[in-house]
Amino acid sequence: MTFRLAWPVLVLWLGMLVPALAQVIPPPMKQAPRPASPGVVLPGPATPKDSARSQGLVTDTETLRRIDSLRRANSGRLEQIQTELLTLKNSSTDKRRERDLITEIMALRQVDSLRQARARQYIDSLKQYAKGFPVAPHGDTLFYVYTKLGPFSPRERAQLTEDKIKRLQEGVFFSPDSLLIYPSEQTTDLMYGQQVLQSINQNDALWQNVSRDSLARAHRARIIAAVVAYKDANSLKSIAKEIGLTLLVLIVLYFTVKYVIKLFRWVRLKLRAKEGTWFRGIKFGNYEFFNEQRQLSTVLLLATVLQWIVVLLTIYLVLPIVFSIFPGTQGIADTLLGYVFNPLKKIGLAFWNYLPNLFTIAVIVAVFRYVLKAIYSIKEEIREGNMAIEGFYADWANPTYQIVRVLVFAFALVVIFPYLPGSDSPVFQGVSVFLGFLFTFGSAGSLSNIVAGLVLTYMRAYKIGDRVRIGDVTGDIVEKTLLVTRIRTVKNEEITIPNSSVMSSYTTNFSTAAPTLGLVLHTTVTIGYDVPWKQVHQLLLEAARASEFVLAEPQPFVLQTSLDDYYVAYQLNAYTREAGKQSLIYSLLHQNIQDKFNEAGVEIMSPHFRAVRDGSSVNLPAQYLPKDYQAPKFRVENSDEPKG
């Protein structure tokens, strides 16, 4: 009997429970994440974002409304069962029917409890994404509206409630006791007189996880506190206090600015009094960058600029204090302070967030610094001859080090570049590309000179101090760089030749072989056929040996380079190690040749010389002629030949 009675009850209970659990509750719509600490949100005109948010809340409200309609249906059925139970208890005729009704009540209550738990779980999931609309009459948010009521969306409900609260605040008389709570079957209304400020339904209560009456009391308390605070802040007494406090702040500001100006005036007088002791000028080597008067004037100018910066900063910081005294201008105060503190906050946060990259850059710089030190040590060893590399000359050490150093710096920049602030910015990348184009096209000629300078370095065509001839320029190398080569001629003329021009011309180096093999200097004289060639050779060699700059070994020698119509060309060749004194050596050689030939009575008749010997003196300087020498007279002889 008991089993037969329990079986229909179990079937009935499962028949009501399964459809209730089978109610499909769609997942909440994803909306913009809710901020951790919502600030002041002022209502404004509807935007596409607000419309999407409002539509999402409306959809969620429809889902909650379907759940609530099932709850109300169960509530109606519970009332019917309870009425029937009262009737059965009064009659006491059908105990079996009474037990069935009690079992059904228990099943309905359990289903309703499960449905309410599902609704609570659904709302909790919505709170992770949904963002309600604030009711903020004058900037301070009192509460949020999340659900739709009748034809009004959540945003419209929040706006209407906010407007009604503003009218209460602007009214002359306000009685907190007149703000009453009127509960009804579907909503709980907050009414001031005949005006409904807000209607709270069951979904509003579910959002806050409280009952409708508790939520209505909480909203009533917040509205009353907001209206009373607004009226207190805008009362005549409060306004008088605010005006007095403002005047006090302005007076303090006036005296602060006044004494700041006096302080800087005293500082300027003190600086002028220390003109001869504190200010002695600034020198870079022999150049006086700042004299005493200029240095003092600069410091006084900086003091004046600092004075006005302090004054303006003081005024700027006091203005937000003045605006914050009046409730209506507190937004201006926040804005003014934001102009200063928001950039500082951004700079501080940016610097804090950049610290890991900064540490990374520091490590990279340290590593490359020690790499360069190691390369520099190797360079010095090669340059000083302590380390020898086959085929690598010591004078290549410095230029090779410079090339390797540039490559190391370029590689370091490539490694560091991703860690630089703004390196991934399109603007930064565009500027980098633009500068690269400028450098490439603007330095086309310079790059050719640099390449030529590198080639000349490794060709070892010349070095500093060498006597060279480049093209038609002869002189000593005084400087060679990657771009140009500078030559100082024997006339102390400094000539700058681009390295590309050096590469395109020929170069004669007189100093390379002079220290070892000796530089051969040569000069040519032409002597008539009437003088024996052996005598000419002897005189030329004696003239060469008479010079202190000519080497005895290897010995000088004479070459007969040509036999011309009127004379023979004799070339004197002499060795010297003083390549830089060619002009002086040639001059001494020519002097010695003249002296030796004049002493020997040999006339240098070159390249062409014509003379009538009869009646003419010998073509020699007077000091080389005998003291009793007289020029021969011109002779004419007559012949007495018989006439035919």
Side-chain angles (χ1 to χ4, degrees):
M1 180 66 181
T2 305
F3 176 77
R4 285 183 296 176
L5 179 62
W7 177 252
V9 173
L10 180 61
V11 172
L12 176 64
W13 181 78
L14 290 175
M16 299 182 66
L17 179 61
V18 172
L21 294 176
Q23 295 292 330
V24 178
I25 301 178
M29 294 182 63
K30 288 190 177 181
Q31 303 180 21
R34 185 171 183 176
S37 56
V40 176
V41 182
L42 295 175
T47 62
K49 185 176 180 180
D50 288 342
S51 299
R53 187 174 69 179
S54 180
Q55 183 61 38
L57 291 175
V58 168
T59 304
D60 297 334
T61 303
E62 293 296 336
T63 302
L64 293 174
R65 183 174 294 177
R66 289 197 300 271
I67 298 173
D68 191 56
S69 63
L70 295 174
R71 180 189 62 79
R72 289 197 301 271
N74 287 350
S75 300
R77 175 59 181 163
L78 281 173
E79 292 178 358
Q80 294 177 1
I81 294 174
Q82 288 174 353
T83 303
E84 188 174 354
L85 279 174
L86 289 175
T87 304
L88 291 175
K89 286 181 179 180
N90 292 331
S91 60
S92 301
T93 56
D94 192 351
K95 297 296 182 180
R96 181 178 178 181
R97 177 61 178 169
E98 182 178 353
R99 285 194 298 271
D100 292 343
L101 292 176
I102 291 174
T103 303
E104 186 178 356
I105 288 175
M106 293 174 61
L108 289 174
R109 286 178 177 174
Q110 189 169 2
V111 170
D112 189 62
S113 176
L114 291 173
R115 187 181 292 112
Q116 190 171 0
R118 287 294 299 274
R120 169 56 51 204
Q121 182 181 2
Y122 180 68
I123 290 176
D124 290 340
S125 64
L126 289 178
K127 287 182 179 180
Q128 299 177 7
Y129 306 102
K131 182 179 179 181
F133 291 90
V135 176
H138 292 283
D140 294 330
T141 301
L142 302 182
F143 47 83
Y144 289 87
V145 177
Y146 294 91
T147 62
K148 178 182 178 183
L149 182 62
F152 298 104
S153 66
R155 187 180 187 282
E156 292 172 342
R157 290 183 63 197
Q159 187 65 51
L160 289 173
T161 303
E162 185 177 302
D163 293 340
K164 294 174 182 179
I165 295 174
K166 285 182 179 179
R167 285 197 292 269
L168 283 183
Q169 293 174 341
E170 294 169 359
V172 178
F173 301 104
F174 173 74
S175 175
D177 296 335
S178 299
L179 183 57
L180 303 176
I181 299 174
Y182 288 95
S184 62
E185 183 179 357
Q186 301 297 329
T187 62
T188 300
D189 299 329
L190 288 176
M191 298 186 64
Y192 187 82
Q194 300 298 321
Q195 184 182 23
V196 178
L197 295 183
Q198 187 187 24
S199 294
I200 300 173
N201 57 16
Q202 184 63 30
N203 292 330
D204 293 328
L206 286 175
W207 269 99
Q208 302 299 331
N209 197 19
V210 294
S211 63
R212 287 190 308 177
D213 294 339
S214 299
L215 185 60
R217 288 193 295 270
H219 285 189
R220 177 180 179 275
R222 293 176 185 175
I223 293 173
I224 291 174
V227 174
V228 171
Y230 179 82
K231 288 188 171 296
D232 290 341
N234 291 273
S235 64
L236 293 178
K237 183 178 180 181
S238 299
I239 293 174
K241 289 181 179 179
E242 292 164 356
I243 293 174
L245 186 57
T246 302
L247 292 176
L248 178 62
V249 172
L250 293 177
I251 291 172
V252 172
L253 173 63
Y254 169 76
F255 283 104
T256 302
V257 172
K258 179 180 178 181
Y259 284 105
V260 166
I261 294 174
K262 282 188 176 182
L263 174 63
F264 277 94
R265 187 182 297 123
W266 176 83
V267 170
R268 286 193 291 269
L269 292 175
K270 192 71 173 178
L271 291 173
R272 288 192 179 95
K274 298 293 183 180
E275 180 177 356
T277 56
W278 289 1
F279 305 101
R280 298 181 180 179
I282 300 176
K283 291 184 179 181
F284 293 100
N286 295 326
Y287 176 70
E288 189 175 12
F289 184 73
F290 272 134
N291 56 26
E292 296 179 7
Q293 188 60 37
R294 189 181 299 175
Q295 189 178 6
L296 176 61
S297 301
T298 303
V299 174
L300 291 176
L301 177 61
L302 292 176
T304 303
V305 172
L306 181 61
Q307 169 190 323
W308 286 109
I309 290 175
V310 172
V311 170
L312 293 177
L313 184 61
T314 302
I315 295 174
Y316 186 84
L317 293 177
V318 168
L319 283 178
I321 298 176
V322 174
F323 286 125
S324 64
I325 294 174
F326 297 94
T329 58
Q330 287 181 353
I332 300 176
D334 296 337
T335 302
L336 290 176
L337 289 175
Y339 289 152
V340 175
F341 293 109
N342 288 342
L344 293 177
K345 181 180 177 182
K346 290 180 180 179
I347 293 173
L349 290 175
F351 179 76
W352 178 260
N353 294 330
Y354 186 68
L355 280 179
N357 290 344
L358 188 61
F359 290 142
T360 304
I361 292 175
V363 172
I364 294 173
V365 170
V367 170
F368 278 97
R369 183 167 176 263
Y370 284 104
V371 169
L372 284 176
K373 280 189 174 183
I375 297 173
Y376 179 81
S377 300
I378 297 173
K379 184 265 292 185
E380 287 296 310
E381 292 294 319
I382 295 175
R383 187 180 64 83
E384 294 174 0
N386 299 328
M387 179 186 294
I389 300 177
E390 185 178 357
F392 192 90
Y393 298 93
D395 56 348
W396 288 356
N398 280 327
T400 304
Y401 170 72
Q402 297 299 331
I403 296 172
V404 173
R405 186 181 177 208
V406 171
L407 294 177
V408 170
F409 275 124
F411 184 66
L413 181 61
V414 170
V415 175
I416 292 173
F417 185 82
Y419 299 99
L420 294 177
S423 59
D424 55 347
S425 170
V427 176
F428 188 89
Q429 296 172 357
V431 171
S432 302
V433 173
F434 177 70
L435 293 178
F437 274 114
L438 287 182
F439 178 78
T440 302
F441 291 108
S443 61
S446 300
L447 289 176
S448 64
N449 286 326
I450 291 173
V451 173
L454 292 174
V455 173
L456 289 172
T457 298
Y458 289 97
M459 285 174 57
R460 305 179 72 237
Y462 47 77
K463 60 181 182 295
I464 302 296
D466 285 356
R467 172 63 62 88
V468 298
R469 181 169 60 241
I470 300 176
D472 57 352
V473 178
T474 301
D476 298 327
I477 301 294
V478 295
E479 184 183 6
K480 62 173 186 176
T481 65
L482 288 177
L483 295 175
V484 297
T485 298
R486 289 187 172 87
I487 297 178
R488 183 177 291 120
T489 67
V490 294
K491 304 299 183 182
N492 286 333
E493 300 167 338
E494 191 168 296
I495 300 175
T496 301
I497 306 175
N499 287 334
S500 58
S501 299
V502 177
M503 284 291 296
S504 62
S505 180
Y506 63 89
T507 301
T508 302
N509 193 326
F510 299 103
S511 302
T512 302
T516 55
L517 301 176
L519 175 66
V520 179
L521 302 180
H522 56 87
T523 184
T524 301
V525 295
T526 54
I527 306 298
Y529 284 97
D530 57 334
V531 181
W533 63 268
K534 291 184 179 180
Q535 184 183 7
V536 175
H537 281 212
Q538 182 181 357
L539 293 175
L540 288 175
L541 292 176
E542 290 177 357
R545 295 188 186 102
S547 176
E548 60 178 325
F549 299 106
V550 174
L551 298 176
E553 290 294 337
Q555 296 181 359
F557 60 92
V558 178
L559 299 175
Q560 293 179 215
T561 58
S562 67
L563 300 174
D564 295 322
D565 293 339
Y566 302 101
Y567 51 79
V568 179
Y570 298 90
Q571 185 187 77
L572 174 62
N573 295 270
Y575 291 88
T576 183
R577 300 192 192 281
E578 303 292 339
K581 297 180 179 180
Q582 292 183 61
S583 299
L584 176 61
I585 297 173
Y586 273 118
S587 179
L588 293 176
L589 277 177
H590 294 155
Q591 292 174 16
N592 293 339
I593 290 172
Q594 286 180 294
D595 289 342
K596 295 299 179 181
F597 273 68
N598 289 335
E599 290 174 357
V602 178
E603 297 176 281
I604 300 175
M605 304 172 65
S606 61
H608 300 285
F609 190 91
R610 292 183 181 182
V612 179
R613 285 300 182 193
D614 289 339
S616 301
S617 60
V618 177
N619 189 32
L620 293 175
Q623 63 267 27
Y624 293 102
L625 297 176
K627 294 182 179 179
D628 57 348
Y629 174 80
Q630 292 182 356
K633 296 181 180 180
F634 188 77
R635 294 179 300 170
V636 178
E637 294 181 356
N638 295 326
S639 68
D640 296 334
E641 295 181 359
K643 297 180 181 179

mmCIF file with all atom_site columns, all heavy atoms in Angstrom, residues 318-334 336:
data_model
loop_
_atom_site.group_PDB
_atom_site.id
_atom_site.type_symbol
_atom_site.label_atom_id
_atom_site.label_alt_id
_atom_site.label_comp_id
_atom_site.label_asym_id
_atom_site.label_entity_id
_atom_site.label_seq_id
_atom_site.pdbx_PDB_ins_code
_atom_site.Cartn_x
_atom_site.Cartn_y
_atom_site.Cartn_z
_atom_site.occupancy
_atom_site.B_iso_or_equiv
_atom_site.pdbx_formal_charge
_atom_site.auth_seq_id
_atom_site.auth_comp_id
_atom_site.auth_asym_id
_atom_site.auth_atom_id
_atom_site.pdbx_PDB_model_num
ATOM 1   N N   . VAL A 1 318 ? 47.615 76.375 -6.432  1.00 0.00 ? 318 VAL A N   1
ATOM 2   C CA  . VAL A 1 318 ? 46.614 76.956 -5.528  1.00 0.00 ? 318 VAL A CA  1
ATOM 3   C C   . VAL A 1 318 ? 45.245 77.017 -6.202  1.00 0.00 ? 318 VAL A C   1
ATOM 4   O O   . VAL A 1 318 ? 44.209 76.877 -5.532  1.00 0.00 ? 318 VAL A O   1
ATOM 5   C CB  . VAL A 1 318 ? 47.076 78.356 -5.060  1.00 0.00 ? 318 VAL A CB  1
ATOM 6   C CG1 . VAL A 1 318 ? 45.945 79.100 -4.361  1.00 0.00 ? 318 VAL A CG1 1
ATOM 7   C CG2 . VAL A 1 318 ? 48.264 78.227 -4.116  1.00 0.00 ? 318 VAL A CG2 1
ATOM 8   N N   . LEU A 1 319 ? 45.224 77.204 -7.517  1.00 0.00 ? 319 LEU A N   1
ATOM 9   C CA  . LEU A 1 319 ? 43.936 77.299 -8.217  1.00 0.00 ? 319 LEU A CA  1
ATOM 10  C C   . LEU A 1 319 ? 43.061 76.059 -8.003  1.00 0.00 ? 319 LEU A C   1
ATOM 11  O O   . LEU A 1 319 ? 41.857 76.195 -7.741  1.00 0.00 ? 319 LEU A O   1
ATOM 12  C CB  . LEU A 1 319 ? 44.180 77.535 -9.708  1.00 0.00 ? 319 LEU A CB  1
ATOM 13  C CG  . LEU A 1 319 ? 44.572 78.967 -10.098 1.00 0.00 ? 319 LEU A CG  1
ATOM 14  C CD1 . LEU A 1 319 ? 44.829 79.061 -11.596 1.00 0.00 ? 319 LEU A CD1 1
ATOM 15  C CD2 . LEU A 1 319 ? 43.483 79.955 -9.699  1.00 0.00 ? 319 LEU A CD2 1
ATOM 16  N N   . PRO A 1 320 ? 43.579 74.836 -8.093  1.00 0.00 ? 320 PRO A N   1
ATOM 17  C CA  . PRO A 1 320 ? 42.719 73.682 -7.797  1.00 0.00 ? 320 PRO A CA  1
ATOM 18  C C   . PRO A 1 320 ? 42.173 73.693 -6.374  1.00 0.00 ? 320 PRO A C   1
ATOM 19  O O   . PRO A 1 320 ? 41.047 73.234 -6.140  1.00 0.00 ? 320 PRO A O   1
ATOM 20  C CB  . PRO A 1 320 ? 43.653 72.486 -8.021  1.00 0.00 ? 320 PRO A CB  1
ATOM 21  C CG  . PRO A 1 320 ? 44.681 72.978 -8.966  1.00 0.00 ? 320 PRO A CG  1
ATOM 22  C CD  . PRO A 1 320 ? 44.880 74.414 -8.629  1.00 0.00 ? 320 PRO A CD  1
ATOM 23  N N   . ILE A 1 321 ? 42.963 74.223 -5.424  1.00 0.00 ? 321 ILE A N   1
ATOM 24  C CA  . ILE A 1 321 ? 42.456 74.305 -4.049  1.00 0.00 ? 321 ILE A CA  1
ATOM 25  C C   . ILE A 1 321 ? 41.268 75.255 -3.986  1.00 0.00 ? 321 ILE A C   1
ATOM 26  O O   . ILE A 1 321 ? 40.255 74.983 -3.328  1.00 0.00 ? 321 ILE A O   1
ATOM 27  C CB  . ILE A 1 321 ? 43.591 74.776 -3.110  1.00 0.00 ? 321 ILE A CB  1
ATOM 28  C CG1 . ILE A 1 321 ? 44.727 73.750 -3.119  1.00 0.00 ? 321 ILE A CG1 1
ATOM 29  C CG2 . ILE A 1 321 ? 43.064 74.974 -1.698  1.00 0.00 ? 321 ILE A CG2 1
ATOM 30  C CD1 . ILE A 1 321 ? 45.937 74.177 -2.306  1.00 0.00 ? 321 ILE A CD1 1
ATOM 31  N N   . VAL A 1 322 ? 41.369 76.385 -4.700  1.00 0.00 ? 322 VAL A N   1
ATOM 32  C CA  . VAL A 1 322 ? 40.262 77.357 -4.721  1.00 0.00 ? 322 VAL A CA  1
ATOM 33  C C   . VAL A 1 322 ? 39.025 76.736 -5.363  1.00 0.00 ? 322 VAL A C   1
ATOM 34  O O   . VAL A 1 322 ? 37.903 76.851 -4.852  1.00 0.00 ? 322 VAL A O   1
ATOM 35  C CB  . VAL A 1 322 ? 40.698 78.634 -5.468  1.00 0.00 ? 322 VAL A CB  1
ATOM 36  C CG1 . VAL A 1 322 ? 39.515 79.583 -5.627  1.00 0.00 ? 322 VAL A CG1 1
ATOM 37  C CG2 . VAL A 1 322 ? 41.829 79.321 -4.711  1.00 0.00 ? 322 VAL A CG2 1
ATOM 38  N N   . PHE A 1 323 ? 39.225 76.056 -6.496  1.00 0.00 ? 323 PHE A N   1
ATOM 39  C CA  . PHE A 1 323 ? 38.078 75.468 -7.189  1.00 0.00 ? 323 PHE A CA  1
ATOM 40  C C   . PHE A 1 323 ? 37.471 74.307 -6.406  1.00 0.00 ? 323 PHE A C   1
ATOM 41  O O   . PHE A 1 323 ? 36.266 74.059 -6.509  1.00 0.00 ? 323 PHE A O   1
ATOM 42  C CB  . PHE A 1 323 ? 38.497 74.985 -8.578  1.00 0.00 ? 323 PHE A CB  1
ATOM 43  C CG  . PHE A 1 323 ? 38.715 76.104 -9.563  1.00 0.00 ? 323 PHE A CG  1
ATOM 44  C CD1 . PHE A 1 323 ? 39.916 76.226 -10.236 1.00 0.00 ? 323 PHE A CD1 1
ATOM 45  C CD2 . PHE A 1 323 ? 37.731 77.039 -9.801  1.00 0.00 ? 323 PHE A CD2 1
ATOM 46  C CE1 . PHE A 1 323 ? 40.123 77.249 -11.137 1.00 0.00 ? 323 PHE A CE1 1
ATOM 47  C CE2 . PHE A 1 323 ? 37.923 78.074 -10.697 1.00 0.00 ? 323 PHE A CE2 1
ATOM 48  C CZ  . PHE A 1 323 ? 39.119 78.185 -11.369 1.00 0.00 ? 323 PHE A CZ  1
ATOM 49  N N   . SER A 1 324 ? 38.292 73.598 -5.646  1.00 0.00 ? 324 SER A N   1
ATOM 50  C CA  . SER A 1 324 ? 37.757 72.463 -4.899  1.00 0.00 ? 324 SER A CA  1
ATOM 51  C C   . SER A 1 324 ? 36.922 72.899 -3.700  1.00 0.00 ? 324 SER A C   1
ATOM 52  O O   . SER A 1 324 ? 36.206 72.077 -3.121  1.00 0.00 ? 324 SER A O   1
ATOM 53  C CB  . SER A 1 324 ? 38.916 71.570 -4.426  1.00 0.00 ? 324 SER A CB  1
ATOM 54  O OG  . SER A 1 324 ? 39.751 72.277 -3.521  1.00 0.00 ? 324 SER A OG  1
ATOM 55  N N   . ILE A 1 325 ? 36.995 74.168 -3.303  1.00 0.00 ? 325 ILE A N   1
ATOM 56  C CA  . ILE A 1 325 ? 36.194 74.649 -2.167  1.00 0.00 ? 325 ILE A CA  1
ATOM 57  C C   . ILE A 1 325 ? 34.721 74.642 -2.517  1.00 0.00 ? 325 ILE A C   1
ATOM 58  O O   . ILE A 1 325 ? 33.869 74.268 -1.703  1.00 0.00 ? 325 ILE A O   1
ATOM 59  C CB  . ILE A 1 325 ? 36.675 76.054 -1.749  1.00 0.00 ? 325 ILE A CB  1
ATOM 60  C CG1 . ILE A 1 325 ? 38.105 75.975 -1.206  1.00 0.00 ? 325 ILE A CG1 1
ATOM 61  C CG2 . ILE A 1 325 ? 35.743 76.665 -0.714  1.00 0.00 ? 325 ILE A CG2 1
ATOM 62  C CD1 . ILE A 1 325 ? 38.717 77.322 -0.903  1.00 0.00 ? 325 ILE A CD1 1
ATOM 63  N N   . PHE A 1 326 ? 34.378 75.017 -3.747  1.00 0.00 ? 326 PHE A N   1
ATOM 64  C CA  . PHE A 1 326 ? 32.979 75.073 -4.177  1.00 0.00 ? 326 PHE A CA  1
ATOM 65  C C   . PHE A 1 326 ? 32.603 73.759 -4.840  1.00 0.00 ? 326 PHE A C   1
ATOM 66  O O   . PHE A 1 326 ? 33.330 73.277 -5.729  1.00 0.00 ? 326 PHE A O   1
ATOM 67  C CB  . PHE A 1 326 ? 32.765 76.231 -5.153  1.00 0.00 ? 326 PHE A CB  1
ATOM 68  C CG  . PHE A 1 326 ? 33.031 77.581 -4.556  1.00 0.00 ? 326 PHE A CG  1
ATOM 69  C CD1 . PHE A 1 326 ? 34.273 78.180 -4.686  1.00 0.00 ? 326 PHE A CD1 1
ATOM 70  C CD2 . PHE A 1 326 ? 32.038 78.250 -3.852  1.00 0.00 ? 326 PHE A CD2 1
ATOM 71  C CE1 . PHE A 1 326 ? 34.531 79.416 -4.143  1.00 0.00 ? 326 PHE A CE1 1
ATOM 72  C CE2 . PHE A 1 326 ? 32.285 79.495 -3.294  1.00 0.00 ? 326 PHE A CE2 1
ATOM 73  C CZ  . PHE A 1 326 ? 33.539 80.083 -3.441  1.00 0.00 ? 326 PHE A CZ  1
ATOM 74  N N   . PRO A 1 327 ? 31.491 73.160 -4.440  1.00 0.00 ? 327 PRO A N   1
ATOM 75  C CA  . PRO A 1 327 ? 31.106 71.870 -5.024  1.00 0.00 ? 327 PRO A CA  1
ATOM 76  C C   . PRO A 1 327 ? 30.921 71.934 -6.535  1.00 0.00 ? 327 PRO A C   1
ATOM 77  O O   . PRO A 1 327 ? 31.237 70.985 -7.244  1.00 0.00 ? 327 PRO A O   1
ATOM 78  C CB  . PRO A 1 327 ? 29.794 71.534 -4.311  1.00 0.00 ? 327 PRO A CB  1
ATOM 79  C CG  . PRO A 1 327 ? 29.835 72.317 -3.037  1.00 0.00 ? 327 PRO A CG  1
ATOM 80  C CD  . PRO A 1 327 ? 30.570 73.573 -3.356  1.00 0.00 ? 327 PRO A CD  1
ATOM 81  N N   . GLY A 1 328 ? 30.420 73.061 -7.018  1.00 0.00 ? 328 GLY A N   1
ATOM 82  C CA  . GLY A 1 328 ? 30.160 73.157 -8.451  1.00 0.00 ? 328 GLY A CA  1
ATOM 83  C C   . GLY A 1 328 ? 31.408 73.236 -9.304  1.00 0.00 ? 328 GLY A C   1
ATOM 84  O O   . GLY A 1 328 ? 31.340 73.020 -10.517 1.00 0.00 ? 328 GLY A O   1
ATOM 85  N N   . THR A 1 329 ? 32.532 73.590 -8.706  1.00 0.00 ? 329 THR A N   1
ATOM 86  C CA  . THR A 1 329 ? 33.771 73.731 -9.480  1.00 0.00 ? 329 THR A CA  1
ATOM 87  C C   . THR A 1 329 ? 34.807 72.671 -9.129  1.00 0.00 ? 329 THR A C   1
ATOM 88  O O   . THR A 1 329 ? 35.970 72.799 -9.500  1.00 0.00 ? 329 THR A O   1
ATOM 89  C CB  . THR A 1 329 ? 34.373 75.129 -9.241  1.00 0.00 ? 329 THR A CB  1
ATOM 90  O OG1 . THR A 1 329 ? 34.605 75.306 -7.837  1.00 0.00 ? 329 THR A OG1 1
ATOM 91  C CG2 . THR A 1 329 ? 33.458 76.208 -9.746  1.00 0.00 ? 329 THR A CG2 1
ATOM 92  N N   . GLN A 1 330 ? 34.381 71.624 -8.414  1.00 0.00 ? 330 GLN A N   1
ATOM 93  C CA  . GLN A 1 330 ? 35.341 70.585 -8.065  1.00 0.00 ? 330 GLN A CA  1
ATOM 94  C C   . GLN A 1 330 ? 35.859 69.851 -9.297  1.00 0.00 ? 330 GLN A C   1
ATOM 95  O O   . GLN A 1 330 ? 36.998 69.391 -9.327  1.00 0.00 ? 330 GLN A O   1
ATOM 96  C CB  . GLN A 1 330 ? 34.707 69.599 -7.092  1.00 0.00 ? 330 GLN A CB  1
ATOM 97  C CG  . GLN A 1 330 ? 34.547 70.162 -5.690  1.00 0.00 ? 330 GLN A CG  1
ATOM 98  C CD  . GLN A 1 330 ? 33.932 69.163 -4.740  1.00 0.00 ? 330 GLN A CD  1
ATOM 99  O OE1 . GLN A 1 330 ? 33.498 68.091 -5.154  1.00 0.00 ? 330 GLN A OE1 1
ATOM 100 N NE2 . GLN A 1 330 ? 33.866 69.519 -3.460  1.00 0.00 ? 330 GLN A NE2 1
ATOM 101 N N   . GLY A 1 331 ? 35.031 69.759 -10.321 1.00 0.00 ? 331 GLY A N   1
ATOM 102 C CA  . GLY A 1 331 ? 35.488 69.124 -11.558 1.00 0.00 ? 331 GLY A CA  1
ATOM 103 C C   . GLY A 1 331 ? 36.624 69.897 -12.206 1.00 0.00 ? 331 GLY A C   1
ATOM 104 O O   . GLY A 1 331 ? 37.552 69.310 -12.766 1.00 0.00 ? 331 GLY A O   1
ATOM 105 N N   . ILE A 1 332 ? 36.569 71.237 -12.130 1.00 0.00 ? 332 ILE A N   1
ATOM 106 C CA  . ILE A 1 332 ? 37.655 72.059 -12.687 1.00 0.00 ? 332 ILE A CA  1
ATOM 107 C C   . ILE A 1 332 ? 38.941 71.807 -11.914 1.00 0.00 ? 332 ILE A C   1
ATOM 108 O O   . ILE A 1 332 ? 40.035 71.731 -12.484 1.00 0.00 ? 332 ILE A O   1
ATOM 109 C CB  . ILE A 1 332 ? 37.269 73.548 -12.656 1.00 0.00 ? 332 ILE A CB  1
ATOM 110 C CG1 . ILE A 1 332 ? 35.998 73.781 -13.484 1.00 0.00 ? 332 ILE A CG1 1
ATOM 111 C CG2 . ILE A 1 332 ? 38.404 74.419 -13.148 1.00 0.00 ? 332 ILE A CG2 1
ATOM 112 C CD1 . ILE A 1 332 ? 35.488 75.200 -13.433 1.00 0.00 ? 332 ILE A CD1 1
ATOM 113 N N   . ALA A 1 333 ? 38.822 71.699 -10.591 1.00 0.00 ? 333 ALA A N   1
ATOM 114 C CA  . ALA A 1 333 ? 40.000 71.433 -9.773  1.00 0.00 ? 333 ALA A CA  1
ATOM 115 C C   . ALA A 1 333 ? 40.633 70.100 -10.158 1.00 0.00 ? 333 ALA A C   1
ATOM 116 O O   . ALA A 1 333 ? 41.858 69.996 -10.311 1.00 0.00 ? 333 ALA A O   1
ATOM 117 C CB  . ALA A 1 333 ? 39.627 71.435 -8.294  1.00 0.00 ? 333 ALA A CB  1
ATOM 118 N N   . ASP A 1 334 ? 39.809 69.074 -10.309 1.00 0.00 ? 334 ASP A N   1
ATOM 119 C CA  . ASP A 1 334 ? 40.343 67.773 -10.708 1.00 0.00 ? 334 ASP A CA  1
ATOM 120 C C   . ASP A 1 334 ? 41.010 67.841 -12.073 1.00 0.00 ? 334 ASP A C   1
ATOM 121 O O   . ASP A 1 334 ? 42.050 67.221 -12.312 1.00 0.00 ? 334 ASP A O   1
ATOM 122 C CB  . ASP A 1 334 ? 39.225 66.732 -10.718 1.00 0.00 ? 334 ASP A CB  1
ATOM 123 C CG  . ASP A 1 334 ? 38.639 66.509 -9.322  1.00 0.00 ? 334 ASP A CG  1
ATOM 124 O OD1 . ASP A 1 334 ? 39.353 66.793 -8.343  1.00 0.00 ? 334 ASP A OD1 1
ATOM 125 O OD2 . ASP A 1 334 ? 37.483 66.068 -9.230  1.00 0.00 ? 334 ASP A OD2 1
ATOM 126 N N   . LEU A 1 336 ? 42.439 70.555 -13.516 1.00 0.00 ? 336 LEU A N   1
ATOM 127 C CA  . LEU A 1 336 ? 43.707 71.283 -13.423 1.00 0.00 ? 336 LEU A CA  1
ATOM 128 C C   . LEU A 1 336 ? 44.793 70.420 -12.788 1.00 0.00 ? 336 LEU A C   1
ATOM 129 O O   . LEU A 1 336 ? 45.937 70.406 -13.249 1.00 0.00 ? 336 LEU A O   1
ATOM 130 C CB  . LEU A 1 336 ? 43.514 72.570 -12.618 1.00 0.00 ? 336 LEU A CB  1
ATOM 131 C CG  . LEU A 1 336 ? 42.679 73.668 -13.294 1.00 0.00 ? 336 LEU A CG  1
ATOM 132 C CD1 . LEU A 1 336 ? 42.490 74.834 -12.340 1.00 0.00 ? 336 LEU A CD1 1
ATOM 133 C CD2 . LEU A 1 336 ? 43.356 74.138 -14.574 1.00 0.00 ? 336 LEU A CD2 1
#
